[in-house]
Amino acid sequence: MTQHDRLLIIDFGSQVTQLIARRLRELNVYCEIHPYQNVTDAFLAAFAPRAVIFSGGPDSVTRPGSPRPPQSVYALGVPILGICYGQQVMMQDLGGRVEAGEHATAEFGRAYVEQAGRGDEFLSGWFQGGREQVWMSHGDHVAEIAPGFQVLGTSPGAPFAITADPARRFYAVQFHPEVHHTPNGRTLYENFIRLAGFRGDWTMGAYREEAIAKIRAQVGDAKVICGLSGGVDSSVAAVLIHEAIGDQLTCVFVDHGLLRQNEAAEVVAMFRDNYNIPLIHADESDLFLSALDGVSDPEVKRKTIGKLFIDVFQKHAAEVGGAEFLAQGTLYPDVIESVSFSGGPSVTIKSHHNVGGLPAKMGLKLVEPLRELFKDEVRALGHELGLPASFIGRHPFPGPGLAIRCPGEITREKLAILRKADAVYIDQIRRHGLYDEIWQAFVALLPVRTVGVMGDGRTYDYACALRAVTSVDGMTADYYPFTHDFLSETATRIINEVKGINRVTYDITSKPPGTIEWE
Ligand code: XMP
């Protein structure tokens, strides 16, 4: 368990709870999100938070049986901030009154809050311009505030937009300070953590030292295996673990023959030659490509690759002999158990390739040194560990690799064409200084040949689609608005430099309704 000052976020199911955590982490505060069902009296006592935040949520506190925190939270003597549903919970629990939504008082979207009352340390730096823009999203509203509370801010739809009981350091806001559309929201978090006495002791330098000590304590002198994909997460995990236990770590890099141009060589050079990490480079491309021979269904492709990967990884890991631990680059968003109100499993759009099944099958214990980190923190840690910036900032690449960027049957010939086109496209994006603005960019090779004319001759070659999207987390995405000049220059380069492609299209589908990858 971390030694840092800890803040507890009790999750009532808001879509944006993770953003609260990110805002706090940016302010060097260590926090954890836990669903309200798991937060018991005993949990609270063991967690010993220095402050608590109640998230928003979709329920109505006026409904009997709606989500609540344990009432002992109010007796901890620590500051509490209630946001939206969290505000209403606080009011209802402490003797105020909440009314169910009516059209007249519901507020969604941008609103302006004006100062009321005497002001408070919580609002330091706010209301400089008289009023503040905030993001509202509520149906219910507080009709009567709890005894001891006073009003600090009002909006047309929320007379109790900001309320506080300064003596107990309880604060409640109707809006969402964590979202982008509350432009000055960070100030409220800064004020809240300052008045809670946080030292701002969550930094990547400190994290690195602690993580190393923790890995040593967990592993002792046992051997550890790490599956290296070339992605940021597994790379940072490998370098960190190597720093902790040196050559007790062996990395296994499975090359399934579906990687991008030069990718395998770069991974081997970086980890084996640069970091001196023992590395098994398992070139299994023949095996994977023959298993995929004639397969065109996307789900069959994914499942074939996923299953083979586990077998192959296991085989090569066994070469290490006597390993007791498997290292994984699991991140905090994978660990958060979010509150699901939808009930029931959601529809599977794509069966993701992951190595989640490995530990149980191999009888290994897990080392997951990134479990407490968000993606941007992993990047900061990678930077701290000296990984090159160009590597840390790389776009995500899917486990099944180029197989899902080559709709229809995969052949070596198609893969070779795709690799070349992709390399030209990425080079174009880098040359134009656009790489870091784009979440992910790649070429998909389409399973159609089209007629063209080059020189004086007829061509009959493949068409390809360029894809580039902006996104925050890959869950939703929009296409990147390249200029026409960029697109035509890139199309010309691809057709001139890549034999086998005579037509280039740009995919302008957002997600939803499209997905980022083509399969
Ligand atoms: P989609 O295509 O579902 O992709 O919009 C969302 C993000 O996930 C990546 N992706 C994968 N990553 N294993 C992975 O590790 C997979 O099987 C997989 N499929 C898609 C995709 O590249 C995008 O960043």
Side-chain angles (χ1 to χ4, degrees):
M1 201 180 263
T2 175
Q3 299 306 309
H4 301 279
D5 292 338
R6 298 147 66 77
L7 187 146
L8 172 65
I9 300 169
I10 302 182
D11 182 20
F12 292 108
S14 161
Q15 301 288 325
V16 290
T17 302
Q18 277 202 30
L19 288 181
I20 304 174
R22 295 182 60 148
R23 292 293 156 275
L24 293 164
R25 296 276 184 103
E26 280 162 21
L27 297 169
N28 298 337
V29 166
Y30 181 80
C31 59
E32 289 181 18
I33 300 173
H34 290 273
Y36 73 91
Q37 301 98 321
N38 297 357
V39 180
T40 59
D41 293 336
F43 176 94
L44 270 181
F47 193 95
R50 181 172 276 277
V52 178
I53 293 181
F54 298 167
S55 85
D59 213 317
S60 169
V61 295
T62 61
R63 190 182 67 75
S66 55
R68 289 301 141 85
Q71 298 303 294
S72 61
V73 71
Y74 300 109
L76 290 175
V78 302
I80 304 178
L81 171 62
I83 296 170
C84 198
Y85 180 83
Q87 173 217 32
Q88 295 161 8
V89 162
M90 203 190 269
M91 289 303 137
Q92 187 97 339
D93 280 351
L94 297 176
R97 195 165 55 82
V98 175
E99 280 176 359
E102 293 163 32
H103 191 65
T105 51
E107 253 184 326
F108 295 95
R110 183 173 301 140
Y112 292 91
V113 175
E114 300 204 355
Q115 184 162 8
R118 290 196 312 269
D120 186 89
E121 194 187 341
F122 179 60
L123 296 175
S124 161
W126 250 48
F127 296 126
Q128 309 279 21
R131 59 181 198 164
E132 287 282 351
Q133 182 188 316
V134 301
W135 189 255
M136 293 278 189
S137 177
H138 64 104
D140 291 0
H141 67 279
V142 174
E144 213 174 285
I145 54 176
F149 277 76
Q150 48 188 269
V151 183
L152 302 179
T154 63
S155 78
F160 305 123
I162 309 174
T163 58
D165 177 345
R168 287 191 282 180
R169 296 181 296 171
F170 290 171
Y171 295 86
V173 295
Q174 180 59 79
F175 54 90
H176 289 272
E178 62 279 11
V179 304
H180 182 67
H181 292 92
T182 301
N184 207 2
R186 176 189 166 105
T187 306
L188 294 185
Y189 287 111
E190 261 167 357
N191 294 341
F192 181 67
I193 62 173
R194 191 179 55 247
L195 63 86
F198 280 88
R199 292 167 293 177
D201 56 5
W202 173 253
T203 62
M204 274 309 128
Y207 183 80
R208 172 188 188 171
E209 297 310 317
E210 283 163 29
I212 287 173
K214 226 155 74 179
I215 294 164
R216 287 186 184 143
Q218 185 190 2
V219 169
D221 52 15
K223 286 188 191 166
V224 179
I225 291 170
C226 178
L228 208 55
S229 66
V232 178
D233 305 339
S234 64
S235 302
V236 171
V239 174
L240 182 68
I241 294 169
H242 188 249
E243 199 164 296
I245 58 167
D247 290 355
Q248 283 164 251
L249 172 74
T250 303
C251 288
V252 177
F253 171 51
V254 175
D255 180 351
H256 50 23
L258 300 160
L259 297 169
R260 289 164 292 187
Q261 189 150 292
N262 296 334
E263 193 163 12
E266 280 168 17
V267 169
V268 173
M270 164 106 86
F271 291 93
R272 192 188 279 162
D273 307 337
N274 188 21
Y275 279 100
N276 293 319
I277 300 180
L279 175 75
I280 298 176
H281 173 198
D283 181 356
E284 297 283 4
S285 36
D286 287 342
L287 185 70
F288 279 85
L289 295 182
S290 51
L292 290 168
D293 195 20
V295 178
S296 57
D297 181 87
E299 276 300 287
V300 179
K301 279 186 192 174
R302 284 175 169 273
K303 293 212 165 102
T304 306
I305 296 167
K307 188 181 165 303
L308 256 189
F309 186 92
I310 291 185
D311 294 346
V312 167
F313 185 87
Q314 224 175 339
K315 184 180 89 188
H316 289 282
E319 291 166 22
V320 177
E324 286 179 35
F325 290 90
L326 179 73
Q328 286 191 343
T330 315
L331 304 191
Y332 192 48
D334 307 325
V335 176
I336 299 171
E337 238 185 283
S338 50
V339 181
S340 164
F341 285 85
S342 57
S346 49
V347 180
T348 303
I349 307 290
K350 301 176 182 189
S351 46
H352 265 220
H353 167 70
N354 65 49
V355 291
L358 273 174
K361 215 171 164 196
M362 298 173 66
L364 295 175
K365 289 172 269 184
L366 279 179
V367 189
E368 296 179 307
L370 312 181
R371 267 179 83 86
E372 292 170 337
L373 304 184
F374 285 102
K375 188 88 181 180
D376 40 2
E377 293 175 310
V378 173
R379 295 205 168 103
L381 179 60
H383 185 72
E384 183 75 34
L385 290 165
L387 279 156
S390 58
F391 189 83
I392 292 168
R394 289 203 328 170
H395 292 170
F397 186 64
L402 300 182
I404 57 171
R405 294 178 177 177
C406 205
E409 288 181 24
I410 302 161
T411 63
R412 282 179 192 272
E413 183 216 5
K414 282 188 186 171
L415 288 173
I417 295 172
L418 175 54
R419 276 194 190 98
K420 278 196 194 132
D422 192 72
V424 172
Y425 180 42
I426 298 299
D427 179 58
Q428 274 288 101
I429 289 174
R430 284 200 190 277
R431 278 194 201 184
H432 285 257
L434 301 174
Y435 191 84
D436 294 337
E437 277 180 41
I438 293 170
W439 160 266
Q440 204 170 5
F442 56 87
V443 174
L445 188 74
L446 306 187
V448 282
R449 285 175 194 261
T450 72
V451 173
V453 51
M454 276 176 93
D456 287 327
R458 175 187 194 266
T459 58
Y460 186 55
D461 283 330
Y462 287 110
C464 74
L466 311 181
R467 184 83 164 127
V469 295
T470 54
S471 177
V472 176
D473 50 16
M475 305 295 287
T476 57
D478 205 354
Y479 76 91
Y480 186 79
F482 286 125
T483 62
H484 285 275
D485 284 348
F486 174 89
L487 288 170
S488 57
E489 186 184 306
T490 305
T492 306
R493 271 196 66 190
I494 290 176
I495 291 169
N496 285 345
E497 296 175 33
V498 184
K499 195 166 174 317
I501 292 182
N502 68 351
R503 194 173 293 267
V504 177
T505 64
Y506 186 46
D507 177 359
I508 56 164
T509 321
S510 60
K511 172 183 179 174
T515 55
I516 296 175
E517 304 288 349
W518 273 50
E519 288 192 332

